[in-house]
Amino acid sequence: MPQIHPQARTTPTTRIEIARSTEPSSTVARRYGISAETVCKWRKRGAADCLDHSARPHRLPWKATDEERAIVCTMRRETDFPLDDLTFVVCHFLLHLKRDSIWRILKAAGLNRRPLNPHPSSPPKARERSANTTSAACISTSSNCQSCKTANGERRKRFLYVAIDRCSRSVHLAVKDDETEKSAIAFLREASTAFPSPLTDVLTDNGSCFTPAFAKVRASLGAHYRHTKPRTPQTNGMVERFNGRISSEVLGINIYSHRALEQVLRGFNVAYNARRQRVLAARKPNQVVQEQLASMCSTDHREANTRAGPCDLTKARLIVEAAKEVSQPDIPSHDWPHG
């Protein structure tokens, strides 16, 4: 059905009659209760064009000139800044441009999505450094781990630590008994061993376990360190989203013992690193890690994720299948840890 303006006084049928009429415009206007200008408009369009046209302008207005748009695009190509960082810099000398305007400029130029391998024209020394270091490892702690029974029948909470390499999206998990400084430092050393190349950046939330002693160990590993801002989990959104994935895909299973839970998490870790991801151009994190290892000239680098293997995935599947056959009582809400 053709779309007609809700306040239109004519229909496509009457417009065809107006276009085909040979009477004076004033007579046709009095007959249909419209103005003579409207009659002339439909006669000019003809009987073949009797529908309303779109009111959208052919060219949207720009707040920026061609030179200003070229400056924004050049800065994006040279610095590869995220949209928020690019807006912060541009607004210092182009005050009339806001975040939405800059995004429209990048969208029109096809630069709204950051490339997987930025700075393709960097000098050889810079390329060698980026190929032999991890882009960033996000270290975060989560209290969403399931409480299970111990050998004496008591329920006890376990704490899940997550590390994600921003470059390869490879994940390393560890379950600890507490959320203390000692456990965080131990996990940091495990993560530095699990990833194929030395850490360059460490991003954590504001958990109580990330203390100055933790920062000192991080400095000994040669990595820069920073906290997220309070009440801004989106800053570390990659880890937060992964924690939600664990809650929905793993912690919904009734598992009896802590040892079985750790085995399931290790299997989930192996399966996730072997899963294709859209942000990696349909590649697997393990595949990206292998490419990083192949590009390294030194032979003393460590293998990635040596603590997990296919056998962990097989054991995890057996535990999950066994858990489906056992009906466990629902765990009261007060027994779940709160992060």
Side-chain angles (χ1 to χ4, degrees):
M1 181 177 181
Q3 297 292 331
I4 303 176
H5 194 277
Q7 296 182 355
R9 296 187 178 182
T10 57
T11 63
T13 303
T14 56
R15 294 169 187 174
I16 294 176
E17 294 177 358
I18 292 173
R20 295 176 177 176
S21 176
T22 57
E23 297 178 347
S25 299
S26 57
T27 303
V28 178
R30 286 193 299 269
R31 179 186 304 166
Y32 294 104
I34 56 179
S35 62
E37 290 78 4
T38 304
V39 174
C40 295
K41 181 184 71 173
W42 294 117
R43 283 182 172 177
K44 182 178 180 181
R45 291 190 182 182
D49 188 8
C50 58
L51 300 178
D52 290 327
H53 291 178
S54 174
R56 179 180 178 181
H58 296 288
R59 296 187 60 183
L60 296 177
W62 287 96
K63 289 186 178 181
T65 62
D66 294 340
E67 292 79 8
E68 293 171 344
R69 297 205 301 269
I71 292 174
V72 173
C73 295
T74 302
M75 290 188 60
R76 179 56 174 256
R77 294 190 187 97
E78 295 297 330
T79 63
D80 193 47
F81 281 167
L83 178 59
D84 293 333
D85 296 345
L86 185 63
T87 303
F88 177 79
V89 175
V90 171
C91 289
H92 279 74
F93 54 91
L94 297 178
L95 303 180
H96 61 286
L97 293 183
K98 305 301 180 183
R99 187 177 187 273
D100 294 342
S101 301
I102 295 176
W103 184 86
R104 284 183 54 199
I105 294 173
L106 299 178
K107 178 72 173 179
L111 299 174
N112 56 315
R113 295 183 65 89
R114 299 174 65 190
L116 294 176
N117 297 319
H119 306 299
S121 59
S122 301
K125 184 176 181 181
R127 287 199 301 268
E128 183 179 356
R129 180 183 181 275
S130 62
N132 288 276
T133 57
T134 304
S135 176
C138 300
I139 311 299
S140 177
T141 181
S142 172
S143 299
N144 293 327
C145 206
Q146 191 175 16
S147 60
C148 300
K149 289 184 179 180
T150 58
N152 55 5
E154 298 180 356
R155 291 193 178 275
R156 183 161 54 91
K157 293 187 291 187
R158 305 296 299 278
F159 296 87
L160 176 66
Y161 290 77
V162 180
I164 300 181
D165 176 15
R166 286 183 177 271
C167 182
S168 64
R169 302 301 176 96
S170 180
V171 176
H172 177 69
L173 306 178
V175 180
K176 303 294 182 180
D177 293 331
D178 50 34
E179 193 179 9
T180 59
E181 172 187 289
K182 182 178 179 181
S183 298
I185 292 175
F187 176 72
L188 178 62
R189 296 187 185 278
E190 294 175 8
S192 63
T193 305
F195 293 129
S197 50
L199 302 180
T200 60
D201 297 274
V202 176
L203 174 66
T204 69
D205 56 20
N206 293 274
S208 59
C209 58
F210 301 121
T211 60
F214 177 87
K216 185 180 297 185
V217 175
R218 177 272 314 161
S220 65
L221 297 175
H224 300 283
Y225 180 50
R226 64 188 180 96
H227 285 284
T228 59
K229 294 182 180 179
R231 296 179 294 277
T232 55
Q234 61 273 16
T235 307
N236 207 7
M238 188 180 300
V239 174
E240 298 296 340
R241 178 64 185 90
F242 186 82
N243 290 340
R245 185 187 296 273
I246 292 178
S247 299
S248 60
E249 298 185 15
V250 178
L251 300 186
I253 305 172
N254 291 321
I255 301 175
Y256 187 78
S257 66
H258 288 284
R259 181 176 299 178
L261 177 60
E262 293 178 10
Q263 188 65 61
V264 171
L265 288 172
R266 282 197 296 267
F268 181 80
N269 190 4
V270 175
Y272 182 86
N273 290 336
R275 182 185 301 177
R276 297 182 182 275
Q277 298 190 22
R278 178 181 59 84
V279 294
L280 298 178
R283 294 182 298 173
K284 305 175 183 178
N286 286 341
Q287 182 179 355
V288 178
V289 170
Q290 293 300 326
E291 293 175 358
Q292 290 179 350
L293 292 173
S295 63
M296 294 178 181
C297 300
S298 179
T299 59
D300 59 348
H301 286 282
R302 296 148 297 201
E303 291 292 335
N305 296 326
T306 56
R307 300 179 182 271
C311 60
D312 293 319
L313 182 57
T314 303
K315 294 178 182 179
R317 287 176 177 173
L318 294 177
I319 294 174
V320 172
E321 292 297 331
K324 292 180 179 178
E325 300 174 358
V326 179
S327 177
Q328 300 287 345
D330 294 335
I331 300 174
S333 59
H334 58 77
D335 287 340
W336 284 80
H338 300 281

